[in-house]
Amino acid sequence: MKLFQKLAIATSLVLSLATLTTKSASAAIINYAFTVDSSTAKGNGLFSFDDSTFSNDNIPVAPVQSLTFQFDNNPKIYTAKDDVEYPDYPLAFPTVSLADNAPIGLLYSFQDKANSDKNYEIAGTLFSVSSETSNSGTVSYRQVPEPSTLGSTFLVGSIGLFLKRKVSSIKKIKA
């Protein structure tokens, strides 16, 4: 009977992980967080895009579906609609061909909401402010895990802890 219970637990674990893996693999929406760091402006943002919509150009691009960005200590929030060439921009692109460290880059140009004479531009890992010299800062990216990935990690960890406790209690009883 104990062998049957262990087999049932193992089977349910494998099936649940297979289901979670299949769901996350079929989802094409990719989420990234990015950080801007320059001598005059620092900020954080999030964007997402559908990786199945990459164009067939030499450097493929995909339209950004959602984007929010905020400079540190500034209540104004910039979105995709703030791009000066919206709705054609902002765009996401793979940076493999540019030898950047980030796997994905962002093309996003927007005006300062408080001073329309001041423009900002994010081009891959480069950040520039119109009133400064070009390439006045850097942009770093990190992929944001999907909730299903976090959920499956929690599930596997919980089952592992449960089985570890059960095995240790069985060893104590036998000793």
Side-chain angles (χ1 to χ4, degrees):
M1 186 66 170
K2 290 183 181 184
L3 178 62
F4 178 72
Q5 288 175 339
K6 288 181 182 179
L7 186 58
I9 290 172
T11 303
S12 65
L13 175 65
V14 169
L15 289 176
S16 67
L17 289 177
T19 303
L20 287 174
T21 303
T22 303
K23 286 181 184 175
S24 65
S26 65
I29 303 298
I30 309 294
N31 299 308
Y32 271 87
F34 64 101
T35 303
V36 168
D37 186 17
S38 84
S39 59
T40 59
K42 296 179 185 325
N44 296 300
L46 297 168
F47 70 96
S48 64
F49 65 96
D50 184 343
D51 70 348
S52 67
T53 62
F54 276 120
S55 64
N56 290 325
D57 300 333
N58 289 338
I59 298 177
V61 294
V64 170
Q65 292 184 341
S66 69
L67 183 142
T68 58
F69 176 76
Q70 188 171 17
F71 288 111
D72 293 349
N73 302 319
N74 188 336
K76 293 178 176 49
I77 297 175
Y78 296 89
T79 66
K81 291 181 180 180
D82 291 317
D83 193 295
V84 294
E85 295 186 50
Y86 182 81
D88 296 328
Y89 284 82
L91 297 172
F93 66 99
T95 59
V96 176
S97 60
L98 299 180
D100 286 339
N101 291 332
I104 292 294
L106 181 64
L107 296 173
Y108 181 48
S109 297
F110 56 102
Q111 288 182 326
D112 190 309
K113 289 186 176 184
N115 179 3
S116 61
D117 293 335
K118 195 175 203 179
N119 293 316
Y120 304 103
E121 182 177 23
I122 296 172
T125 57
L126 304 175
F127 175 75
S128 59
V129 180
S130 62
S131 61
E132 300 174 8
T133 60
S134 62
N135 305 332
S136 60
T138 60
V139 182
S140 58
Y141 301 89
R142 68 176 175 78
Q143 189 169 358
V144 178
E146 291 185 36
S148 62
T149 304
L150 295 174
S152 63
T153 302
F154 178 73
L155 177 68
V156 170
S158 299
I159 291 173
L161 286 173
F162 173 74
L163 292 176
K164 183 178 178 181
R165 287 182 182 171
K166 187 166 182 141
V167 168
S168 64
S169 66
I170 289 172
K171 286 182 181 179
K172 287 180 182 176
I173 291 171
K174 287 184 178 181

